[in-house]
Amino acid sequence: MKKQLLPLLLLLAAVPMLFTACQKEDALLPLQQQDAASLARVNATPNALLAGNYADGFFVANEGWFGHGTGDVHFYSYAGDSLSLNVYHKENPTGTLGTATSTLQYATIFNGKMYIVIKVGGPMVVVDANTMVETGRISSLPANDGHAFVGIDASHGFLSAKDGVYPVTLSPLSIGTKISGISGYTGDMIKAGSYVFALSQTDGVVAINTSNNTVAQKFGIANLAFAAGKDGNVYYTTSDSLIRINPVTLARTRIVKLPFTTPSPWGAWRHAAIASSTVDSAIYIVRNNNFAGGTQLYRYIFNTPSSITTPFITLPNGQFFYGAGVGYNKDKNELALTTINGSITGDVNRILIYNASTAVLKKTLTYNGWYFPAMPVFH
């Protein structure tokens, strides 16, 4: 994203190793430097991964090192308690995820498929979420800049782009005509009830009726969007408040004033730093200075305004949120936090796994290299 700052770091090189387990700090080579060394690493790969099984674990999508290579997806295996790097290219050796000037900013799993959207000149690539083998792609995205994907049903989805939202037919994979009434740079989306809610720089939060692909209502400007609450409502923030939308009535309610200002997502768009719990009635919000660089995660417990007044988690010294920064793992009731060792840039990447109810740190996964984590991705 802001990797225009990285030329000063060109002389730094990463040190090769492949897997990281709990509390270990193993170093890794960037994708472009792995080649022969990767052959030796296969012998260390857990048996489940040798069989191409990526069902029992979770993923981290990475931007990639701008100007040097493409992004990719890492996989953490529960059974092996290990992290495997660049699993898309491992399973698709001749596949491409854009160019050196594209960034992988978004990935999500829907109906057993992972939809990987590469920003700025990249494709949207679809893979089997259990094997990571590519099953389809759209090579050219609208306005040459796709952002996020949301599935609607077995046959349809939406793609957000630089100039609005487009319907996507899933089989055969194709993009339709832009939805009327939404313009400008459009990022995150979420499906709730009969609507998809999208965030546009021009139009703010927009509810799209999925039965006819028409705009049902607009709700005004937002910054961090969206999270699906345990109560079935949709949550997002303005610059200073947490907002709730009822996806049945489309009623909008200001829930609580935040003790900090949330940054604008535009200019260096990435998946929003907000998540929700399916166990607790809670919303999690990263406090960032800009597009990254924060060190605190806040938690709002429904109907308890005092819960948001102090941080729920403060990162260990020397670590800073990057990318979305937070993801909620409903299978484990855990938070996966992605950090680097600098407020804007860094080559020491960590995935911190916390108990989502108690904020107890359970595991730290460390991998070195210029990967720039974009977001955790869960089955």
Side-chain angles (χ1 to χ4, degrees):
M1 297 298 305
K2 294 293 189 185
K3 287 171 280 181
Q4 293 86 347
L5 300 175
L6 292 179
L8 295 176
L9 304 170
L10 292 178
L11 296 179
L12 295 176
V15 183
M17 292 177 78
L18 179 61
F19 298 104
T20 290
C22 178
Q23 303 298 338
K24 292 183 180 178
E25 300 209 355
D26 296 337
L28 300 154
L29 279 173
L31 173 64
Q32 294 74 23
Q33 299 177 25
Q34 289 177 9
D35 42 67
S38 64
L39 296 176
R41 296 175 188 154
V42 171
N43 295 325
T45 304
N47 290 335
L49 296 189
L50 287 175
N53 182 1
Y54 298 97
D56 187 34
F58 69 87
F59 302 88
V60 172
N62 297 275
E63 294 179 0
W65 189 2
F66 186 84
H68 294 78
T70 65
D72 207 311
V73 179
H74 300 343
F75 177 75
Y76 174 69
S77 166
Y78 298 142
D81 189 21
S82 57
L83 188 69
S84 182
L85 304 191
N86 301 321
V87 295
Y88 169 81
H89 278 98
K90 176 179 181 294
E91 303 299 341
N92 305 275
T94 61
T96 60
L97 293 176
T99 69
T101 55
S102 304
T103 56
L104 196 170
Q105 283 299 348
Y106 193 87
T108 188
I109 295 173
F110 177 71
N111 281 357
K113 302 280 190 180
M114 180 183 290
Y115 292 80
I116 305 170
V117 185
I118 293 87
K119 183 179 154 186
V120 188
M124 180 172 77
V125 174
V126 185
V127 301
D128 184 296
N130 292 331
T131 66
M132 289 303 291
V133 173
E134 184 173 329
T135 62
R137 71 169 51 215
I138 299 175
S139 297
S140 179
L141 300 183
N144 202 37
D145 195 4
H147 298 150
F149 171 86
V150 63
I152 297 173
D153 55 35
S155 303
H156 302 92
F158 286 163
L159 174 75
S160 64
K162 185 177 181 179
D163 61 350
V165 176
Y166 291 77
V168 179
T169 299
L170 303 186
S171 183
L173 198 60
S174 62
I175 295 179
T177 303
K178 185 172 72 168
I179 295 174
S180 178
I182 308 174
S183 60
Y185 204 104
T186 306
D188 277 298
M189 301 179 290
I190 192 172
K191 184 180 185 298
S194 300
Y195 303 97
V196 163
F197 296 86
L199 179 58
S200 158
Q201 184 176 14
T202 302
D203 296 302
V205 174
V206 181
I208 306 168
N209 191 321
T210 58
S211 65
N212 55 18
N213 292 357
T214 60
V215 171
Q217 191 167 325
K218 297 182 180 181
F219 300 88
I221 300 302
N223 282 358
L224 301 181
F226 300 93
K230 183 183 177 183
D231 58 3
N233 292 310
V234 172
Y235 290 83
Y236 66 91
T237 80
T238 58
S239 63
D240 65 355
S241 299
L242 181 64
I243 308 296
R244 179 183 68 210
I245 296 177
N246 183 312
V248 177
T249 66
L250 298 184
R252 177 185 183 274
T253 306
R254 180 182 179 273
I255 299 302
V256 67
K257 184 174 174 59
L258 302 174
F260 55 89
T261 299
T262 62
S264 167
W266 313 116
W269 181 82
R270 77 288 184 206
H271 180 48
I274 184 171
S276 57
S277 170
T278 59
V279 172
D280 302 321
S281 296
I283 305 294
Y284 305 95
I285 304 170
V286 173
R287 179 180 182 176
N288 270 330
N289 302 323
N290 197 327
F291 73 98
T295 61
Q296 296 174 330
L297 177 78
Y298 283 73
R299 178 180 67 165
Y300 171 71
I301 299 174
F302 294 176
N303 303 315
T304 310
S306 61
S307 62
I308 196 75
T309 58
T310 57
F312 181 57
I313 293 171
T314 297
L315 296 179
N317 288 339
Q319 298 187 46
F320 302 86
F321 285 107
Y322 192 90
V326 60
Y328 176 75
N329 186 349
K330 62 182 178 59
D331 292 334
K332 303 281 188 178
N333 189 35
E334 293 174 344
L335 295 171
L337 309 186
T338 55
T339 74
I340 58 175
N341 61 322
S343 61
I344 297 177
T345 184
D347 67 338
V348 180
N349 311 264
R350 291 183 177 89
I351 305 167
L352 307 178
I353 299 176
Y354 287 85
N355 182 298
S357 298
T358 66
V360 171
L361 178 61
K362 301 174 66 174
K363 189 181 296 293
T364 299
L365 307 170
T366 304
Y367 56 103
N368 292 358
W370 304 107
Y371 290 100
F372 300 96
M375 61 182 290
V377 183
F378 302 98
H379 284 277

